[in-house]
Amino acid sequence: MDLGLRGKVAVVGGSSRGLGRAIADELAAEGVQLLLCARGEDTLARAVREIRAAGGAHVEGVAADVATEAGVMRVVEAAERSYGRVDILITNTGGPPAGPFEAHSIEVWRKAAANLLESVLALTHAFLPGMKERRWGRIINITSIAVKQPVDHLILSNSLRAAVTGFARTLANEIAPRGVTVNNVLPGYTRTERLEELAVHTARARGVDAAARLEIWNDEIPMRRIGEPRELAAAVAFLASERASYITGQSIAVDGGWIRGLL
């Protein structure tokens, strides 16, 4: 299937590793020109080198913390300098600390809000006007299965990613007539560094080891296995494509059937 993405320009957040890197690889394979952003300079530089070496896409990188105003401006300036426009915005940031409500101070909540919610608002605010002017754009937020079925010990993620969902659903209707779609992709339990960290934390809380915690998750998933990053990346690439032009305002789970709800 030709996704009609060749020559489009995408900004991919958190793309030095994990889900963001898988998304970058998938878009590069479709001929998308990429601006990768992440906080870690070394891992980001390695991702840029490896994707360039694979061929088929022009790739640039910018080390930036999009939870800060200065970081967002670095991304915006790099996109303007490298490409002059952005057609596809993939917002993706690392997850906040796990733990129950009383384990997190107000300052931890503020930092999590800056990372998970305010970064999405700021990046969308920066790139949306150009998309509307060109009457074509894709905004895809990587959130979590927690927005449809809250996950124990993840109160920060459960709360703030739900706020992103409300924002995206409302914005989707506002800008639909301008040819710009807004969707969310909800990763389930996927084989990343973040999942390994979460396994260690929840295992301690339950008095088991991390390997046992992973086996419990396997049993909870109807497909009986943890997802692979490339499986989520394929869904993102489709939503970014010309073929997905009539899909907007949706929150699509890539979770092996873990969410038990009807909607």
Side-chain angles (χ1 to χ4, degrees), residues 12-259:
V12 184
S15 45
S16 63
R17 63 179 191 163
L19 296 178
R21 171 61 192 272
I23 292 166
D25 287 337
E26 190 78 12
L27 293 178
E30 294 293 331
V32 176
Q33 301 179 82
L34 296 171
L35 177 64
L36 309 186
C37 65
R39 287 177 295 184
E41 292 189 16
D42 292 341
T43 53
L44 178 64
R46 182 168 62 249
V48 169
R49 288 195 304 270
E50 290 174 353
I51 296 174
R52 282 178 179 166
H58 182 259
V59 187
E60 299 291 342
V62 55
D65 182 357
V66 295
T68 68
E69 183 178 352
V72 170
M73 287 307 302
R74 289 192 70 182
V75 174
V76 173
E77 290 167 359
E80 181 61 31
R81 182 172 60 251
S82 298
Y83 301 111
R85 74 179 200 278
V86 170
D87 305 302
I88 301 162
L89 171 63
I90 312 293
T91 71
N92 175 54
T93 59
F101 173 69
E102 292 180 333
H104 305 305
S105 67
I106 291 299
E107 183 57 30
V108 170
W109 276 91
R110 291 191 180 107
K111 288 181 179 178
N115 189 42
L116 295 184
L117 175 59
E118 293 172 23
S119 64
V120 174
L121 304 180
L123 289 167
T124 301
H125 193 272
F127 295 123
L128 178 59
M131 294 179 184
K132 289 170 62 179
E133 182 179 346
R134 294 184 297 274
R135 302 191 69 83
W136 200 98
R138 301 286 186 265
I139 298 170
I140 302 170
N141 307 304
I142 309 303
T143 60
S144 168
I145 49 174
V147 305
K148 290 194 174 186
Q149 187 172 316
V151 178
D152 291 346
H153 302 288
L154 293 183
I155 192 167
L156 294 170
S157 183
N158 293 345
S159 304
L160 294 165
R161 295 193 194 279
V164 172
T165 305
F167 160 72
R169 186 63 192 87
T170 307
L171 179 66
N173 282 5
E174 292 181 5
I175 63 177
R178 305 299 293 272
V180 181
T181 67
V182 186
N183 292 290
N184 307 308
V185 175
L186 287 51
Y189 292 105
T190 309
R191 200 177 306 280
T192 63
E193 295 91 339
R194 165 67 173 169
L195 185 68
E196 294 172 3
E197 294 167 0
L198 184 59
V200 170
H201 180 90
T202 56
R204 287 172 181 164
R206 295 170 182 262
V208 298
D209 63 26
R213 179 65 256 189
L214 289 171
E215 285 303 315
I216 292 170
W217 283 330
N218 279 335
D219 291 341
E220 291 175 348
I221 299 167
M223 285 191 172
R224 296 295 186 266
R225 66 176 178 85
I226 300 296
E228 298 296 336
R230 59 181 174 77
E231 294 175 305
L232 179 126
V236 172
F238 177 74
L239 287 174
S241 75
E242 188 64 41
R243 296 298 187 99
S245 59
Y246 203 57
I247 301 173
T248 196
Q250 303 305 305
S251 289
I252 299 173
V254 182
D255 68 347
W258 182 85
I259 294 173

